[in-house]
Amino acid sequence: MTIKNLIPIALLALVHFPPMTMAQGSACAPGGTFDLSKWKLQLPTGKAGSPDEVSASELKGCNGYKSEYFFTSPDDGSLVMTVPGSTSTTDCVTTPNSKHCRTELRENSPSKWSPSASKNRLFGDLLVKQITDDRVVVGQIHIDGSISTKPVCELYYSSKGDLTMGVNRCRTCGQDTFTVGHVPVGQRFTYEIRYEKGILSVSLNGQAFQTLDTFDLDNPDSYFKAGNYNQGNGPTEVHFFAIRVSH
């Protein structure tokens, strides 16, 4: 681990580290340790074009929802999200506007917000434990469905450990990609994504924020997503030690 990849001590004080008792096993669902009251869960199961979803109330508490795709790690107490692969390699299910499978939390309270507001922030403390090919999206901002089916931006983690941010050029356009940094596979890191006062920015491991061009997006109402949105054909496994939104 290089010095630049270490999380600053001041930032560590803000991070939610699950108690060590969770390492005894995964009997307790993630909702027993993590505050999931602002989220709903999207899964790689269900019917074609209609993936299963789990509400915040169903996620709540130790007896809340858990499965092979969403569980508490018996090793480190983290919230684990797995995806078996793609539709070409598994029987996983996608949303109508995507060809990729996901186990991902979708912000649901609030269900949307304005990028012109003074505070919109998503923080993640995580590691990517398994990725065999291509990339996985570990955090994103999505445009409200009444406006567009496109994301504002997606934070990609590659099988080589490279982090990039794809930003859509307009509400119906494709993406331009910006380099964010590098973290070896299996190494823990943090990110924070902000879209506030009309400015989109991202920080890795508590370093200075990088401002990103939003082109012709023009501040559409949006919401956050965080988890394991698999872009490849092989299985992916992402461990979150903290997921936090603030407005």
Side-chain angles (χ1 to χ4, degrees):
M1 181 184 297
T2 61
I3 294 297
K4 69 177 181 179
N5 285 328
L6 290 175
I7 302 173
I9 293 175
L11 181 60
L12 286 173
L14 301 176
V15 176
H16 167 82
F17 289 98
M20 291 304 294
T21 54
M22 291 304 297
Q24 295 175 2
S26 55
C28 186
T33 304
F34 295 84
D35 180 7
L36 302 177
S37 60
K38 300 179 184 296
W39 306 92
K40 67 178 179 180
L41 176 66
Q42 299 175 313
L43 291 163
T45 58
K47 297 179 181 178
S50 182
D52 293 325
E53 295 188 343
V54 184
S55 67
S57 60
E58 293 172 305
L59 293 171
K60 185 178 180 180
C62 267
N63 295 320
Y65 175 83
K66 63 180 180 179
S67 70
E68 62 183 301
Y69 304 111
F70 184 82
F71 59 91
T72 303
S73 169
D75 300 316
D76 57 25
S78 63
L79 189 166
V80 182
M81 288 181 261
T82 69
V83 176
S86 68
T87 54
S88 64
T89 57
T90 73
D91 59 357
C92 67
V93 174
T94 70
T95 59
N97 298 302
S98 175
K99 61 182 180 180
H100 304 296
C101 301
R102 74 187 80 203
T103 301
E104 189 177 39
L105 292 166
R106 191 266 200 219
E107 188 180 19
N108 203 43
S109 180
S111 60
K112 62 180 180 179
W113 38 262
S114 171
S116 300
S118 61
K119 190 176 185 179
N120 300 303
R121 302 176 182 181
L122 168 65
F123 173 84
D125 175 11
L126 69 155
L127 63 83
V128 178
K129 187 171 183 178
Q130 181 181 25
I131 180 169
T132 57
D133 66 323
D134 208 270
R135 304 177 294 178
V136 57
V137 176
V138 294
Q140 64 168 301
I141 300 173
H142 203 284
I143 301 173
D144 181 65
S146 65
I147 301 172
S148 173
T149 61
K150 296 286 189 177
V152 169
C153 64
E154 295 174 302
L155 182 60
Y156 296 101
Y157 183 92
S158 80
S159 58
K160 296 181 180 179
D162 296 321
L163 282 141
T164 56
M165 183 75 91
V167 182
N168 274 58
R169 294 185 297 275
C170 73
R171 300 181 185 192
T172 58
C173 300
Q175 296 181 343
D176 274 12
T177 302
F178 301 87
T179 298
V180 175
H182 177 85
V183 177
V185 174
Q187 181 172 301
R188 186 169 170 177
F189 65 96
T190 68
Y191 70 74
E192 186 170 332
I193 302 171
R194 298 180 179 181
Y195 196 14
E196 53 195 33
K197 299 179 182 178
I199 298 172
L200 177 65
S201 62
V202 61
S203 169
L204 179 66
N205 284 337
Q207 297 172 359
F209 277 83
Q210 176 184 352
T211 299
L212 305 173
D213 194 341
T214 52
F215 307 101
D216 297 319
L217 283 168
D218 195 26
N219 298 336
D221 284 350
S222 303
Y223 56 87
F224 287 120
K225 304 187 80 175
N228 180 344
Y229 182 23
N230 191 350
Q231 307 294 292
N233 292 317
T236 46
E237 182 175 323
V238 182
H239 291 225
F240 276 87
F241 298 89
I243 303 175
R244 187 165 59 245
V245 290
S246 51
H247 295 288

